[in-house]
Amino acid sequence: MAPKKPSCLRSLLLPLSLTLLLPQADTRSFIVDRDHDRFLLDGAPFRYVSGSLHYFRVPRVLWADRLLKMRWSGLNAIQFYVPWNYHEPQPGVYNFNGSRDLIAFLNEAALANLLVILRPGPYICAEWEMGGLPSWLLRKPEIRLRTSDPDFLAAVDSWFKVLLPKIYPWLYHNGGNIISIQVENEYGSYGACDFSYMRHLAGLFRALLGEKILLFTTDGPEGLKCGSLQGLYTTVDFGPADNMTKIFTLLRKYEPHGPLVNSEYYTGWLDYWGQNHSTRSVSAVTKGLENMLKLGASVNMYMFHGGTNFGYWNGADKKGRFLSITTSYDYDAPISEAGDPTPKLFALRDVISKFQEVPLGPLPPPSPKMMVGPLTVHLVGHLLAFLDLLCPSGPIRSILPMTFEAVKQDRGFMLYRTYMTHTIFEPTPFWVPNNGVHDRAYVMVDGVFQGVLERNMRDKLFLMGKVGSKLDILVENMGRLSFGSNSSDFKGLLEPPILGQTILTQWMMFPLKIDNLVKWWFLLQLPKWPYPQAPSGPTFYSKTFPILGSVGDTFLHLPGWTKGQVWINGFNLGRYWTKRGPQQTLYVPRFLLFPRGALNKITLLELENVPLQPQVQFLDKPILNSTSTLHRTHINSLSADTLSASEPMELSGH
């Protein structure tokens, strides 16, 4: 289903038989029938069984495959977010190209005969960097996010005046496939309870989208009081372990009439570095779905296909301490991270088939997988050797260290440099007060790696050095907070470090453009750099290799490596943290690899220590759980509040 304008587009995008069956745009409607507690689609009773996937976690070439498998599973709708920071990287600069082409994704959903439940935010959570809000908002340090703060509203208004007109032709009553749109996201979990803000958003949506589109809110049970708003249809989130009867009864206090809707029925759960891989049993998920469908409820399953936090896009939570979310967003979903059907998918399809027709025919088989290696990678050089290339504009100077936001470095890494003002003969404590490392700092003296300081940890390092010795601190942004309070999560050194009794000043900040360097590496004349036989600290490694057989999807395994970032042919796969776990492999879609006759290149930035044999290998199966390394790093946490790997699934957070 394509938009009404241009009118010829629908017949071009849809099979002729389907086009002839669709009602004309002027007769199309999706409304709430409060008298009979149901939805009406074109006047007929309708219930959606939907699944979430995120186009921004799935490369564009794979969209059609994932959507086809969702439709085959019996779904008649999909639900997805629009991450503001993915499309407006700088104020007034917009990107809707390639894998950011939202309209192309809506078109792919139409070709798969799937209706759309759209969640444009402005805040989305989604375990995504800063919950989808652009970090450039924090260039105004006093801004109050997700409130009626004029600075925040001005940015939101500007963004939605670009986004919402793009999707207007795709509203269902205009001939498109968008049947409903969520306003904000789980606002009741935020704590601000700013109804003026919610009313402003509702008015903005109405002004730009008109009165016909169904607008709704979504909250966990505890958030309904502050998250719901008169005039917006109220829906709720909960998982298979929760009391469905109790939660739907509570929902009726806020939405007495109309269909029951669970907008996020959890098929699995997210993973944090340092915790176990989350799973949810097939029987629990299918039983809960069947019970809701028996009630006539509409349900969206979160997630139906999770995908991957490529690059630096993962978010983080604060549950007693800072918890960064893994690169894999497999989510134990019915369709795996690599796009393969799982037993959970077939079981859910069986349940759905009891309540509505499911497409006939076989499901596309799992994608071909391949194994390569082990491959021995070669030392390229210390990160410090490439500083001129990583920061060609040179450093920013300041008496006190500046945050990422203050120097307009959104994600990734920044190097802080100063010089010792006097000789230190004995090991002397070095730390950053007031939990001022956000999020992870790799410390070097005259290029020699000294150790790591980490957010929410009490650790100190002990340093020595001569007067004039160079002190370098590479700070890694591990993803901004994406759920709950979502307080302004500034990155970098938030406080000046202290060495002994001395507050260190006179800093140089180098915002690093590592992705640019990796992408154009083959054009560069690399500098000569003396390095020890067993280097440690932030160091680049690389390897070129051919693929002798047919190319397939694969999973990069880094046994014995510690922590870092990895690129395949210049594409940023994301973070690895082999030592902490649980994730041990990174998903590599086959389209990233060159076929026979061409050389592929893997580039690694190892931040701490490499194995004695620096090897990598590509496996034909993922390893998403490793229990041998879990929890060991949390002993010195600033908070005693620890998160059990087996704790019950929480009621909201997406």
Side-chain angles (χ1 to χ4, degrees):
M1 286 168 283
K4 183 178 180 180
K5 300 176 182 180
S7 58
C8 62
L9 191 56
R10 283 179 58 197
S11 59
L12 291 174
L13 297 179
L14 290 173
L16 179 61
S17 59
L18 181 56
T19 304
L20 295 174
L21 291 173
L22 289 174
Q24 296 302 306
D26 56 1
T27 67
R28 290 159 63 90
S29 64
F30 180 75
I31 62 172
V32 173
D33 177 4
R34 296 182 186 273
D35 292 335
H36 300 93
D37 295 334
R38 62 189 181 183
F39 290 123
L40 296 177
L41 184 73
D42 302 327
F46 178 78
R47 180 248 301 282
Y48 62 74
V49 182
S50 170
S52 287
L53 86 161
H54 300 149
Y55 65 93
F56 43 93
R57 284 186 163 112
V58 179
R60 178 172 177 165
V61 297
L62 301 175
W63 287 350
D65 173 80
R66 306 309 192 248
L67 290 166
L68 176 65
K69 289 168 180 171
M70 294 177 76
R71 181 69 189 100
W72 183 93
S73 303
L75 305 183
N76 54 14
I78 59 168
Q79 178 176 280
F80 64 90
Y81 290 117
V82 180
W84 179 5
N85 54 9
Y86 197 58
H87 293 287
E88 191 178 0
Q90 300 297 329
V93 178
Y94 303 100
N95 188 346
F96 289 92
N97 301 316
S99 288
R100 290 171 170 82
D101 192 338
L102 172 62
I103 302 307
F105 185 73
L106 286 168
N107 180 43
E108 290 288 359
L111 293 173
N113 199 21
L114 289 162
L115 297 170
V116 169
I117 302 154
L118 190 68
R119 310 174 86 181
Y123 163 83
I124 64 169
C125 184
E127 286 78 60
W128 190 252
E129 154 73 13
M130 202 167 152
L133 300 177
S135 62
W136 50 256
L137 291 169
L138 302 182
R139 294 175 193 172
K140 296 183 177 180
E142 302 304 316
I143 195 168
R144 290 175 292 118
L145 304 173
R146 302 176 70 194
T147 71
S148 48
D149 178 336
D151 286 336
F152 183 67
L153 289 185
V156 169
D157 290 356
S158 177
W159 160 238
F160 276 142
K161 287 175 183 176
V162 172
L163 174 66
L164 297 185
K166 287 182 178 292
I167 66 171
Y168 178 79
W170 290 83
L171 303 182
Y172 186 76
H173 58 269
N174 290 333
N177 50 359
I178 300 173
I179 57 173
S180 61
I181 293 180
Q182 180 179 297
V183 177
E184 240 274 352
N185 183 63
E186 293 180 334
Y187 190 65
S189 299
Y190 184 52
C193 215
D194 186 342
F195 287 110
S196 294
Y197 165 62
M198 288 294 287
R199 283 192 290 269
H200 177 91
L201 287 183
L204 182 63
F205 277 57
R206 285 292 177 215
L208 295 172
L209 297 177
E211 296 294 328
K212 291 184 179 180
I213 186 65
L214 176 64
L215 300 180
F216 70 99
T217 60
T218 298
D219 284 279
E222 74 290 344
L224 289 170
K225 181 178 179 180
C226 287
S228 58
L229 186 71
Q230 187 173 4
L232 306 180
Y233 196 75
T234 305
T235 74
V236 73
D237 301 343
F238 60 88
D242 302 311
N243 187 322
M244 178 187 71
T245 302
K246 181 179 178 181
I247 293 172
F248 275 150
T249 300
L250 177 63
L251 176 62
R252 280 298 183 213
K253 294 182 180 180
Y254 296 89
E255 199 62 76
H257 302 288
L260 297 168
V261 178
N262 184 345
S263 287
E264 288 186 7
Y265 177 63
Y266 304 120
T267 63
W269 202 243
L270 61 139
D271 287 348
Y272 302 108
W273 293 114
Q275 301 292 328
N276 282 328
H277 172 55
S278 298
T279 60
R280 296 292 176 261
S281 73
V282 172
S283 60
V285 173
T286 53
K287 181 180 178 182
L289 177 64
E290 185 161 3
N291 288 339
M292 282 187 288
L293 296 183
K294 285 178 179 177
L295 285 179
S298 284
V299 181
N300 174 73
M301 286 171 273
Y302 190 106
M303 296 292 295
F304 209 83
H305 171 55
T308 308
N309 293 314
F310 293 114
Y312 310 109
W313 285 111
N314 65 278
D317 277 354
K318 190 175 183 180
K319 297 182 178 180
R321 64 179 181 278
F322 178 81
L323 293 169
S324 180
I325 291 157
T326 57
T327 300
S328 171
Y329 201 67
D330 177 84
Y331 212 84
D332 194 35
I335 298 175
S336 75
E337 182 178 12
D340 296 331
T342 67
K344 190 176 288 182
L345 182 148
F346 292 101
L348 288 169
R349 187 176 192 267
D350 288 343
V351 170
I352 295 168
S353 69
K354 298 178 183 179
F355 298 89
Q356 60 191 40
E357 289 188 12
V358 300
L360 300 176
L363 182 68
S367 64
K369 306 296 190 299
M370 71 172 187
M371 299 177 68
V372 177
L375 305 171
T376 298
V377 298
H378 306 298
L379 176 64
V380 176
H382 289 277
L383 176 139
L384 298 178
F386 306 106
L387 205 50
D388 290 342
L389 299 173
L390 291 167
C391 186
S393 59
I396 299 161
R397 298 173 187 271
S398 174
I399 294 174
L400 299 178
M402 301 169 69
T403 64
F404 277 51
E405 295 74 20
V407 301
K408 301 183 179 180
Q409 175 79 345
D410 294 309
R411 288 170 291 279
F413 299 85
M414 186 154 72
L415 185 78
Y416 293 79
R417 171 173 288 176
T418 191
Y419 295 89
M420 291 189 180
T421 57
H422 57 280
T423 299
I424 300 174
F425 295 101
E426 299 292 334
T428 300
F430 173 78
W431 79 103
V432 182
N434 301 320
N435 195 27
V437 173
H438 283 198
D439 300 310
R440 199 168 164 83
Y442 307 88
V443 181
M444 293 155 279
V445 175
D446 288 332
V448 178
F449 182 54
Q450 305 294 312
V452 178
L453 297 176
E454 186 173 351
R455 183 172 177 171
N456 294 127
M457 298 294 172
R458 289 199 175 104
D459 299 334
K460 295 181 179 180
L461 298 178
F462 291 85
L463 306 184
M464 296 188 298
K466 299 177 182 179
V467 60
S469 288
K470 186 168 53 183
L471 174 61
D472 287 315
I473 306 172
L474 180 69
V475 178
E476 179 183 13
N477 170 356
M478 287 289 293
R480 290 181 181 83
L481 295 175
S482 53
F483 174 64
S485 65
N486 201 42
S487 57
S488 296
D489 189 15
F490 297 96
K491 297 301 187 183
L493 296 180
L494 277 58
E495 298 275 348
I498 297 175
L499 182 58
Q501 302 298 317
T502 303
I503 297 175
L504 300 179
T505 59
Q506 303 301 328
W507 289 92
M508 292 184 286
M509 277 69 59
F510 297 81
L512 303 185
K513 308 300 181 186
I514 298 178
D515 289 73
N516 291 349
L517 176 66
V518 171
K519 185 176 181 180
W520 301 111
W521 206 298
F522 65 95
L523 296 175
L524 301 173
Q525 290 294 110
L526 299 182
K528 300 295 182 182
W529 178 258
Y531 44 78
Q533 291 298 311
S536 59
T539 310
F540 286 106
Y541 290 79
S542 71
K543 172 71 174 180
T544 56
F545 62 97
I547 295 174
L548 301 178
S550 58
V551 177
D553 286 350
T554 188
F555 304 91
L556 176 65
H557 187 35
L558 299 129
W561 295 72
T562 306
K563 185 183 192 304
Q565 204 82 17
V566 61
W567 294 259
I568 296 287
N569 293 326
F571 181 87
N572 192 332
L573 283 183
R575 311 176 197 276
Y576 66 89
W577 204 344
T578 309
K579 188 174 182 180
R580 184 165 292 188
Q583 181 179 354
Q584 299 293 304
T585 57
L586 295 175
Y587 170 53
V588 184
R590 61 188 177 277
F591 77 90
L592 292 179
L593 297 163
F594 300 132
R596 186 184 310 205
L599 287 176
N600 294 276
K601 184 168 189 175
I602 181 171
T603 306
L604 295 100
L605 172 59
E606 169 58 54
L607 296 166
E608 299 182 45
N609 295 290
V610 301
L612 291 176
Q613 288 188 312
Q615 292 185 329
V616 302
Q617 54 188 340
F618 294 90
L619 307 179
D620 58 1
K621 293 182 176 63
I623 305 172
L624 296 179
N625 197 31
S626 174
T627 57
S628 62
T629 60
L630 301 180
H631 314 302
R632 65 174 59 167
T633 57
H634 298 314
I635 297 172
N636 295 322
S637 173
L638 291 172
S639 169
D641 176 19
T642 57
L643 182 68
S644 168
S646 59
E647 74 170 35
M649 180 163 39
E650 296 199 3
L651 289 174
S652 63
H654 305 283

